[in-house]
Amino acid sequence: MRFLPALFLFLIVTAFTCRKTAQKEDQYALYAYKQTQCADAWQNSTTDSITVANVAAYLASQSLPVMSLRIKADEVASVCSACQCKTGKTIYVMSSDDGVTKAKFQALGFQ
């Protein structure tokens, strides 16, 4: 009979001490990149879902953590077909806000 109260006490103590520490919201930053026709470091596609997958794979190869990733058409596309011309789409990446990560994103052209 002494075993049950000891087990119950052990479970209660374990439940309160094994909480995960959540990261605070202010430890994340939203990085934005204006997509080009074909001058990006990753391969663009005719569909945004494939481009998102390509961006995610490229960022992973650069050891950059990605919390979320999306593409949004928020401007009018440039009326030129050169590689450096903008598509009118912006790639948004939520990632950590530490100095090393921020410097890596900025080196890739993210703001």
Side-chain angles (χ1 to χ4, degrees), residues 17-58:
T17 58
C18 290
R19 284 184 273 155
K20 285 187 175 182
T21 306
Q23 280 193 312
K24 297 177 185 174
E25 278 187 39
D26 59 351
Q27 293 178 338
Y28 298 110
L30 184 64
Y31 301 97
Y33 179 87
K34 302 291 183 181
Q35 185 181 26
T36 64
Q37 298 284 350
C38 56
D40 303 326
W42 48 85
Q43 184 177 1
N44 289 336
S45 176
T46 54
T47 62
D48 288 346
S49 60
I50 294 174
T51 301
V52 164
N54 293 342
V55 173
Y58 178 78

Side-chain angles (χ1 to χ4, degrees), residues 61-81:
S61 75
Q62 300 297 309
S63 300
L64 286 167
V66 174
M67 305 310 287
S68 68
L69 179 67
R70 66 185 174 101
I71 296 178
K72 182 178 177 187
D74 51 3
E75 295 180 8
V76 177
S78 299
V79 188
C80 70
S81 56

Side-chain angles (χ1 to χ4, degrees), residues 31-34 42 55 58-59 64 69 91-93 102 104-111:
Y31 301 97
Y33 179 87
K34 302 291 183 181
W42 48 85
V55 173
Y58 178 78
L59 294 176
L64 286 167
L69 179 67
I91 299 169
Y92 294 100
V93 179
K102 186 180 286 188
K104 284 183 177 181
F105 272 106
Q106 288 174 344
L108 294 175
F110 283 84
Q111 303 295 322

